[in-house]
Amino acid sequence: MDSAAPSGISRTRSEQLEMATATQSLSRTASAETVLSAEMNGTSLSRKSSFAKKGGVGSSPGKRGGNHHIRKSRSAQLKLDLEEVSSGAALSRASSASLGFSFSFTGFTGPPEDVGANLQGAFSDDDNVDPEAGIARKRPIAEPTLPIYLKFTEVKYKVILKGMTSTTEKDILHGISGSASPGEVLALMGPSGCGKTTLLSILGGRINGNIIEGTITYNDEPYNKSLKRRIGFVTQDDVLFAHLTVRETLTYAALLRLPQTMSKQQKEERAMDVIYELGLERCQDTMIGGSFVRGISGGERKRVCIGNEIIINPSLLLLDEPTSGLDSTTALRIVQVLHDIAEAGKTVLTTIHQPSSRLFLKFDKLILLGKGSLLYFGKASEAMAYFQSIGCSPLIAMNPAEFLLDLANGNTNDISIPSELDDRVQTENLGSDTRNEKPTPKDVHEYLVEAYETRVANKEKKKLLAPLPISQDLKATVSSPKREWGASWWQQYSILFWRGLKERRHDYLSWMRITQVIATAFILGLLWWHSGSANPEGQQDQAGLLFFIAVFWGFFPVFTAIFTFPQERAMLKKERAVDMYKLSSYFMARTTSDLPLDLFLPVIFLLIVYFMAGLRQSIKPFFLTMLTVFLSIIAAQGLGLAIGATLMDIKKATTLASVTVMTFMLAGGFFVKGVPLFISWIRYISFNYHTYRLLLKVQYNHVPPSINVSNLDNGAKEVAALIAMIFGYRLLAYVSLRRMQL
């Protein structure tokens, strides 16, 4: 580089004019491929973000030449537009200079054939360092991404509130417009309750009820179900299985969500790539953890949630407050990950509550909401200049995000009041008995909405109405009605079965539950120690033991199974929203993966009770008793699944299960002999009734008269009834899940 050439670019007006006359030039496109061109001594260098990931770390010093290098400031991720510089539009950005921001670029030259390899030199070496761990990490997955241009115009949303006598409508969003392109990070900011999450959910296709107005397009095409596999949505709550490790969580997600054209090994390798990309290699074999289980940190949990979505290489990534509850360093780490993802050619939208100044500078675009209305949409770097132009300036040095949130809340402390707003307040004071020194939050809100509508809104809407310069093939790819699954039905079932087995083994085989069953078995064995069946008293004693076994292994599975679907509702909703699997494969895997765990404890129970109580000492009766208990457990579990799936509320399900099981037990005729006819039919759908009769049949080929059980033949009817309950209750549970709006 010639020594007379300027070596840097600052943000002041005068130096921008110098740069405009120099031989250097910088330009930035607004398309998926963000191009940075620097023309020096007749040599031009262009960088496309979709190719930046494919190059090497950089060329050797010999290829670069002594002082030929590029240094890119990561703090703001700004690329200057020559049009803005020459037209004076960049003056609106000069407000950042008052906060001490500067951006410098130095020259770089290299052979044209080595451009792709040298692009990585545009990044500082610090970009690949994990701020939390202090170790190098991999760049995002270098795989072609279908670009999605998101545009939304005049989006309105209402909810219908149904009262006892009337129905009212409540407006949540009031005509929100905006856009986001590949390579950009769009932040949705605003105070709590302003509609950020609602807008994000609408854009992600997660809300389709109530009343939605406006136009939302993806590459100028409306939303359709095939977009589910193109959109990643990270919810505010970390919905993860507590007992799975980080690697297991991401591996199962890869096996279920990645296309069937990839082999199992390729999917597992993709999961490992994401682990290294997000800096999770230190904790890859650590459990996720939860309320009662120690696991990974909050920042790591959030990165696992992001990994669950970026593992499919989405074109559009939506995140709901990914930095909430995290310290500033961890939050910066998360936002840096989002920036790296955007640079890979993806469109990123995120809600953010109160970012630090460093976080704020990393956003390309900003939407500021207040009470459901749009207060600002544009470049984040120009937000301060816009509000200064309408008379709102900070009177003291403050975080730009705090300044914007104060305005959105209507708080004008330490903020200059526009003369127009002040005049409006004084006019209101003339006709009122009370005098207000400062404008009320309502006045501030109305002024900001009006200012945006008159100064910016029309210009932005015209931009949104302009058609995108993209091919019809790209539009057709987005609008394809074909619904794709990442795995076949059998593969989904197999993966979900082993995932369920790994997750729930900790609960089912906990020491508390094992101790409960073993303690109960020993107490029963001691109470019925070597009971005999030679006399009527001994027979009645043994019948009492068999009745307790039938009741115990009826109650126990029911109250275990009713928690199944209510506890997994959030996970089921999250995974079904992205078409991770079919509901039928999930239901079959969920119900069958419980069987090995459900049948382990009864085996221990019967091994203790059967021989301590001195029941019929023969191999055939022992295994028939065990088989009868197994049928009872599976039937009772089906009832619990049906109740839980129907109500999806643990308290309501527990209450209904208690009443139902008690009714089954009482209506069997064991306590009341003369059961009225209008209620006696309940015994035939009671698993307690049929289990007790089968246990008696196994112990006594001919049930003695002292036990008072009649009409017991070969037990085929009882077995058929239990099998019918096993399938009938589960069918009811599946239908309830299918009908439910998850």
Side-chain angles (χ1 to χ4, degrees):
M1 180 187 300
D2 189 23
S3 60
S7 61
I9 300 173
S10 69
R11 303 294 299 171
T12 63
R13 174 67 173 171
S14 60
E15 293 185 359
Q16 287 169 358
L17 294 176
E18 287 179 16
M19 183 195 69
T21 58
T23 58
Q24 302 175 351
S25 67
L26 297 167
S27 66
R28 180 191 182 198
T29 69
S31 67
E33 301 148 338
T34 307
V35 180
L36 175 63
S37 62
E39 190 173 318
M40 303 161 192
N41 294 332
T43 305
S44 65
L45 171 68
S46 68
R47 179 178 71 82
K48 294 187 178 182
S49 63
S50 60
F51 293 153
K53 306 301 172 287
K54 298 181 181 178
V57 176
S59 61
S60 65
K63 286 185 179 180
R64 295 186 183 185
N67 296 323
H68 297 267
H69 65 281
I70 286 182
R71 183 180 176 187
K72 179 181 176 186
S73 171
R74 299 285 302 199
S75 61
Q77 297 286 318
L78 297 177
K79 291 91 176 174
L80 301 179
D81 193 288
L82 187 59
E83 265 184 334
E84 292 179 349
V85 174
S86 58
S87 64
L91 197 60
S92 63
R93 293 187 180 181
S95 60
S96 61
S98 63
L99 299 177
F101 306 142
S102 65
F103 308 86
S104 63
F105 296 80
T106 57
F108 176 85
T109 56
E113 62 270 20
D114 291 335
V115 167
N118 288 327
L119 289 178
Q120 288 291 352
F123 299 99
S124 170
D125 292 338
D126 296 337
D127 297 341
N128 291 334
V129 176
D130 187 342
E132 292 182 53
I135 56 178
R137 60 184 177 82
K138 294 178 67 174
R139 304 296 299 173
I141 299 169
E143 184 176 316
T145 301
L146 173 72
I148 286 186
Y149 296 80
L150 174 65
K151 296 197 296 186
F152 46 100
T153 309
E154 291 297 323
V155 175
K156 299 179 181 179
Y157 180 68
K158 301 177 182 179
V159 293
I160 300 174
L161 304 176
K162 296 182 180 180
M164 296 294 293
T165 56
S166 61
T167 301
T168 58
E169 293 182 356
K170 182 179 179 181
D171 294 328
I172 305 298
L173 297 175
H174 309 273
I176 309 299
S177 300
S179 66
S181 301
E184 292 180 343
V185 179
L186 170 61
L188 309 180
M189 274 183 57
S192 298
C194 68
K196 301 188 299 294
T197 299
T198 301
L199 177 59
L200 195 74
S201 300
I202 292 174
L203 297 179
R206 297 299 180 98
I207 296 180
N208 51 19
N210 295 305
I211 301 174
I212 300 176
E213 301 177 9
T215 304
I216 304 173
T217 60
Y218 309 79
N219 289 353
D220 283 344
E221 296 291 332
Y223 179 84
N224 60 79
K225 285 190 174 182
S226 66
L227 277 170
K228 284 185 177 183
R229 305 197 67 81
R230 305 282 185 187
I231 298 176
F233 196 104
V234 180
T235 58
Q236 185 173 350
D237 299 323
D238 301 332
V239 183
L240 299 166
F241 285 116
H243 293 100
L244 295 182
T245 65
V246 171
R247 178 162 49 183
E248 289 172 344
T249 299
L250 293 177
T251 299
Y252 284 127
L255 293 174
L256 288 168
R257 300 189 66 180
L258 292 176
Q260 299 187 45
T261 54
M262 297 178 66
S263 65
K264 181 180 179 181
Q265 182 180 355
Q266 289 175 323
K267 293 181 179 182
E268 291 174 349
E269 288 175 356
R270 172 69 69 84
M272 292 305 300
D273 287 343
V274 171
I275 287 174
Y276 283 102
E277 176 189 337
L278 297 177
L280 294 168
E281 59 272 13
R282 293 184 306 156
C283 60
Q284 60 179 311
D285 295 318
T286 306
M287 280 188 183
I288 297 295
S291 302
F292 305 103
V293 182
R294 293 187 63 183
I296 59 179
S297 68
E300 290 166 339
R301 287 173 64 88
K302 186 61 68 177
R303 277 185 275 165
V304 172
C305 292
I306 296 174
N308 261 331
E309 301 304 321
I310 68 171
I311 204 165
I312 62 169
N313 193 29
S315 302
L316 177 61
L317 181 62
L318 309 175
L319 304 99
D320 189 9
E321 297 198 13
T323 62
S324 294
L326 304 179
D327 61 85
S328 59
T329 302
T330 307
L332 179 64
R333 173 71 182 87
I334 296 294
V335 175
Q336 184 61 60
V337 168
L338 300 184
H339 234 292
D340 293 341
I341 292 170
E343 286 185 345
K346 299 172 176 58
T347 307
V348 179
L349 277 76
T350 177
T351 62
I352 202 85
H353 189 59
Q354 191 167 359
S356 65
S357 56
R358 291 191 298 172
L359 261 64
F360 182 79
L361 291 173
K362 287 190 174 294
F363 300 131
D364 298 309
K365 285 184 177 179
L366 173 70
I367 285 181
L368 182 64
L369 299 177
K371 298 181 181 178
S373 299
L374 186 59
L375 306 183
Y376 175 78
F377 166 66
K379 296 179 180 178
S381 58
E382 298 176 358
M384 296 290 289
Y386 163 75
F387 284 103
Q388 287 174 4
S389 70
I390 63 174
C392 299
S393 303
L395 300 178
I396 61 173
M398 66 170 65
N399 179 353
E402 291 182 2
F403 167 73
L404 297 177
L405 286 175
D406 281 347
L407 283 178
N409 278 307
N411 178 17
T412 55
N413 293 332
D414 301 321
I415 298 175
S416 62
I417 300 175
S419 57
E420 182 182 341
L421 180 58
D422 190 51
D423 293 342
R424 186 183 302 178
V425 173
Q426 299 304 326
T427 304
E428 292 177 355
N429 286 338
L430 293 176
S432 175
D433 296 334
T434 59
R435 296 183 63 83
N436 296 320
E437 296 291 335
K438 288 187 175 183
T440 63
K442 182 180 179 182
D443 294 332
V444 175
H445 175 76
E446 292 176 353
Y447 173 76
L448 294 176
V449 173
E450 181 182 340
Y452 182 80
E453 288 291 334
T454 55
R455 294 170 183 255
V456 183
N458 291 331
K459 182 176 68 174
E460 292 293 338
K461 288 176 184 176
K462 288 180 181 178
K463 291 181 182 178
L464 295 175
L465 293 175
L468 291 171
I470 57 177
S471 64
Q472 291 298 323
D473 293 340
L474 193 58
K475 292 183 179 181
T477 305
V478 173
S479 60
S480 173
K482 187 178 179 181
R483 197 175 181 183
E484 299 176 356
W485 299 96
S488 64
W489 190 95
W490 178 253
Q491 289 172 334
Q492 291 176 7
Y493 168 79
S494 177
I495 295 167
L496 292 171
F497 178 89
W498 289 110
R499 188 182 75 170
L501 204 60
K502 284 186 177 181
E503 166 61 21
R504 289 183 293 279
R505 63 184 176 183
H506 299 278
D507 290 333
Y508 278 82
L509 304 180
S510 64
W511 283 110
M512 185 178 298
R513 183 168 298 196
I514 293 174
T515 302
Q516 177 187 8
V517 171
I518 292 178
T520 304
F522 273 109
I523 291 173
L524 292 177
L526 293 174
L527 289 174
W528 274 272
W529 179 261
H530 288 185
S531 60
S533 58
N535 52 63
E537 290 79 8
Q539 294 169 356
Q540 289 180 353
D541 287 345
Q542 284 191 350
L545 173 62
L546 298 177
F547 179 76
F548 180 86
I549 292 174
V551 171
F552 181 76
W553 289 110
F555 269 80
F556 201 75
V558 167
F559 287 95
T560 301
I562 58 174
F563 296 96
T564 299
F565 295 123
Q567 284 183 338
E568 291 192 6
R569 180 176 186 173
M571 180 64 73
L572 185 60
K573 179 180 178 181
K574 169 190 167 184
E575 294 180 338
R576 287 280 296 153
V578 295
D579 281 350
M580 186 178 284
Y581 45 71
K582 297 180 180 179
L583 183 61
S584 57
S585 62
Y586 164 79
F587 182 82
M588 288 299 296
R590 186 64 182 86
T591 54
T592 54
S593 63
D594 288 341
L595 294 181
L597 301 172
D598 278 332
L599 303 181
F600 173 73
L601 292 178
V603 171
I604 298 176
F605 177 88
L606 286 176
L607 285 173
I608 297 172
V609 172
Y610 196 90
F611 297 105
M612 286 184 69
L615 296 178
R616 192 174 172 188
Q617 302 295 307
S618 179
I619 294 178
K620 182 179 178 181
F622 173 75
F623 281 104
L624 287 176
T625 301
M626 190 171 291
L627 179 61
T628 302
V629 172
F630 284 178
L631 287 175
S632 173
I633 289 171
I634 300 173
Q637 185 190 54
L639 176 64
L641 293 173
I643 294 175
T646 303
L647 299 179
M648 276 294 183
D649 183 277
I650 292 178
K651 289 185 178 180
K652 294 179 181 178
T654 303
T655 302
L656 180 59
S658 301
V659 174
T660 303
V661 174
M662 184 117 10
T663 304
F664 282 176
M665 184 174 61
L666 294 175
F670 309 126
F671 299 96
V672 181
K673 297 302 179 185
V675 180
L677 291 177
F678 65 86
I679 201 174
S680 61
W681 59 270
I682 295 180
R683 72 178 66 180
Y684 300 111
I685 59 173
S686 167
F687 43 81
N688 298 130
Y689 175 77
H690 298 292
T691 302
Y692 177 56
R693 291 170 64 87
L694 277 177
L695 290 175
L696 289 175
K697 178 64 179 177
V698 169
Q699 288 301 313
Y700 312 105
N701 289 326
H702 302 285
V703 179
S706 59
I707 300 180
N708 292 325
V709 173
S710 57
N711 301 325
L712 184 61
D713 42 22
N714 59 359
K717 294 180 180 178
E718 284 75 14
V719 172
L722 287 175
I723 293 175
M725 289 182 208
I726 289 172
F727 290 101
Y729 287 140
R730 279 169 172 74
L731 179 62
L732 177 60
Y734 178 74
V735 171
S736 299
L737 282 181
R738 176 64 69 182
R739 292 168 58 91
M740 181 172 299
Q741 295 294 327
L742 294 171

